[in-house]
Amino acid sequence: MSTMFTVACNNSQPAQQQEQAPEKYPQGTFGYDLDFLRGHDSVIVLQSDGGMAQVIVSAKYQAKVFTSTADGLKGQSFGWIHYKAFTGPVDAHMNAYGGENRIWLGPEGGKYSLFFPRGAAMEFANWKTPAVFDTEAWKVTKQNTASVSMRKDMQLVNYAGTPLSLSVVREITILGRSEIDDMLQSRDTTLRAVGYGTANTITNTGKETWTEKTGMPCMWMLDMFNPSPSTVIVIPHKAGDKVATTDYFGEIPSSRIRIDSGTLFFKADGKSRGKLGIHPQFAIPRAGSYDAQNKVLTLTIFDVDSSGKYLNQEWKTTKPPFSGDAVNAYNDGPLADGSQMGPFYELESVSPAAFLKPGQSLSHQHMVFHFTGDEGALDKVARQWLGVGLDKVKSVF
């Protein structure tokens, strides 16, 4: 099952008319984050609806969407940004700048891992995020007020010892409000909204076909958002006996996860580290979250191939390599020593394994929407797209 999107935003403001952030906006607002990021990068700002909906994109910081707003510079900033990472020393394992939509390549673990040297024990000391999507800049190939396209050529070696030559192209497009209304079939003017699509394409630029013998990569979208004590992740799924992997970092406590009538609920307060995944045969191409404290409904819509082979990403070489999940969610929390990177939470989607001949490509599309406003109107969107009312979401934990 797959969902595709077509975008053609015609109501964006010219770049020269973009509203400029003053020196000081309160932390938590879009204006604050825009001002902060401009101190480190000439970021790209996409706009629609007279500047009320805005998205910050950075080619310097690995083609990520850093954050967005539905209410202009004074509105809430939806993406999690790790401010300390921009001026701290380069980390030997991962440089977590944050961002509400970033692209990684997988698998993280397993016999085709891109994060561990060949033969190394799969433990933290040996784990390293490849620089091409950790610290290196990407090239802007096309840009206007509504969209930007970026490219990165990569040379990687996987855990099987196979050299991989590839390129990744990533196009990010902000949607106008009329397009969001048409797509989601919601025309409630009491709601404020921002939405954007990402079209991600990987191409085998080498001379060898990627097979089960050589190994192959996959594309991995990770959306990092700001939690609150009342935030709950909501993932609809097909019915089944064992729909989810719930022990990536140890079994998630039953007080923080619930699977009920085709819906998985996961507490996303940034206070307890845990990760889960939905198996491809049970995955539905959408997920979301609701922050009752700030009245923010977030939706993600993405491609799912129920018959595709998804790579196992766990830090184990003993599991079958194609036993991976198509949808993931993560809640940040303190590590054993009490330290914590966040808090944040993540909604994630993954492409199938890229079995590509030289010159062939695989695409994966992933969209992000945020809605704020009247809770009754938010409830209608949640029921339509997540299959559950907000009263249920607020009372499940």
Side-chain angles (χ1 to χ4, degrees), residues 8-11 48-49 175-187 193 369:
C9 183
N10 297 316
N11 57 354
S48 69
D49 303 297
L175 304 177
R177 181 57 185 268
S178 61
E179 294 170 291
I180 296 174
D181 289 346
D182 287 345
M183 174 175 287
L184 301 183
Q185 300 174 23
S186 172
R187 302 182 184 279
F369 302 86

Side-chain angles (χ1 to χ4, degrees), residues 4-86:
M4 307 295 287
F5 66 90
T6 302
V7 292
C9 183
N10 297 316
N11 57 354
S12 300
Q13 297 297 300
Q16 64 271 21
Q17 295 182 15
Q18 289 181 6
E19 183 182 2
Q20 297 299 309
E23 291 185 2
K24 295 294 182 182
Y25 271 95
Q27 190 166 345
T29 64
F30 184 81
Y32 179 95
D33 284 344
L34 179 58
D35 190 43
F36 173 85
L37 291 167
R38 280 177 169 164
H40 298 274
D41 181 21
S42 54
V43 293
I44 299 161
V45 180
L46 308 178
Q47 290 193 15
S48 69
D49 303 297
M52 296 303 289
Q54 299 190 44
V55 174
I56 301 175
V57 180
S58 172
K60 176 182 177 180
Y61 291 99
Q62 302 77 57
K64 62 170 51 73
V65 174
F66 265 117
T67 191
S68 63
T69 183
D71 205 15
L73 292 173
K74 297 179 181 178
Q76 183 175 344
S77 186
F78 296 121
W80 179 76
I81 297 173
H82 192 201
Y83 305 108
K84 295 179 181 179
F86 291 79

Side-chain angles (χ1 to χ4, degrees), residues 197-374:
T198 74
N200 310 275
T201 302
I202 184 172
T203 301
N204 181 349
T205 58
K207 297 179 179 179
E208 302 295 331
T209 299
W210 297 339
T211 67
E212 291 191 28
K213 182 179 179 180
T214 63
M216 74 297 294
C218 64
M219 288 174 285
W220 185 8
M221 306 295 123
L222 304 99
D223 302 337
M224 307 175 83
F225 303 120
N226 297 300
S228 81
S230 62
T231 301
V232 177
I233 291 170
V234 182
I235 305 179
H237 58 80
K238 300 174 186 176
D241 293 331
K242 175 64 176 174
V243 301
T245 304
T246 57
D247 60 352
Y248 275 88
F249 302 128
E251 189 63 41
I252 298 170
S254 59
S255 61
R256 306 187 67 86
I257 185 171
R258 181 174 172 183
I259 300 177
D260 181 17
S261 301
T263 307
L264 184 149
F265 301 93
F266 183 28
K267 192 169 181 62
D269 57 1
K271 295 181 179 180
S272 178
R273 187 168 182 257
K275 180 176 177 177
L276 59 84
I278 305 296
H279 306 321
Q281 64 267 39
F282 302 115
I284 292 175
R286 55 186 178 271
S289 64
Y290 183 59
D291 175 358
Q293 177 175 294
N294 296 296
K295 292 186 172 56
V296 177
L297 176 66
T298 296
L299 301 178
T300 60
I301 302 174
F302 40 80
D303 289 343
V304 171
D305 182 354
S306 59
S307 62
K309 290 187 174 182
Y310 284 80
L311 288 156
N312 174 54
Q313 303 225 52
E314 297 177 74
W315 291 14
K316 303 172 183 176
T317 57
T318 54
K319 278 204 167 185
F322 302 107
S323 58
D325 296 317
V327 185
N328 294 98
Y330 173 78
N331 183 54
D332 191 42
L335 299 173
D337 63 3
S339 64
Q340 184 172 358
M341 182 188 297
F344 59 87
Y345 71 96
E346 290 182 331
L347 298 174
E348 307 173 10
S349 74
V350 185
S351 79
F355 290 95
L356 299 177
K357 296 178 181 179
Q360 284 188 329
S361 300
L362 174 70
S363 294
H364 181 75
Q365 305 198 53
H366 181 108
M367 308 181 75
V368 179
F369 302 86
H370 301 285
F371 297 88
T372 67
D374 176 75

Side-chain angles (χ1 to χ4, degrees), residues 57-171:
V57 180
S58 172
K60 176 182 177 180
Y61 291 99
Q62 302 77 57
K64 62 170 51 73
V65 174
F66 265 117
T67 191
S68 63
T69 183
D71 205 15
L73 292 173
K74 297 179 181 178
Q76 183 175 344
S77 186
F78 296 121
W80 179 76
I81 297 173
H82 192 201
Y83 305 108
K84 295 179 181 179
F86 291 79
T87 54
V90 175
D91 190 277
H93 303 284
M94 170 193 174
N95 290 272
Y97 301 108
E100 73 165 72
N101 180 267
R102 74 180 194 275
I103 182 170
W104 271 7
L105 299 185
E108 183 176 359
K111 64 185 293 186
Y112 305 134
S113 172
L114 298 176
F115 289 69
F116 292 94
R118 184 177 187 179
M122 289 195 175
E123 55 191 35
F124 184 74
N126 300 320
W127 179 76
K128 166 63 178 172
T129 309
V132 286
F133 49 86
D134 181 45
T135 55
E136 294 181 6
W138 290 39
K139 180 181 179 181
V140 174
T141 58
K142 184 173 60 176
Q143 178 184 349
N144 57 42
T145 57
S147 68
V148 58
S149 183
M150 295 157 287
R151 175 182 173 131
K152 185 68 174 177
D153 296 321
M154 305 182 184
Q155 302 292 323
L156 300 168
V157 179
N158 66 16
Y159 195 76
T162 302
L164 302 173
S165 295
L166 57 107
S167 70
V168 180
V169 173
R170 187 161 146 80
E171 184 171 7

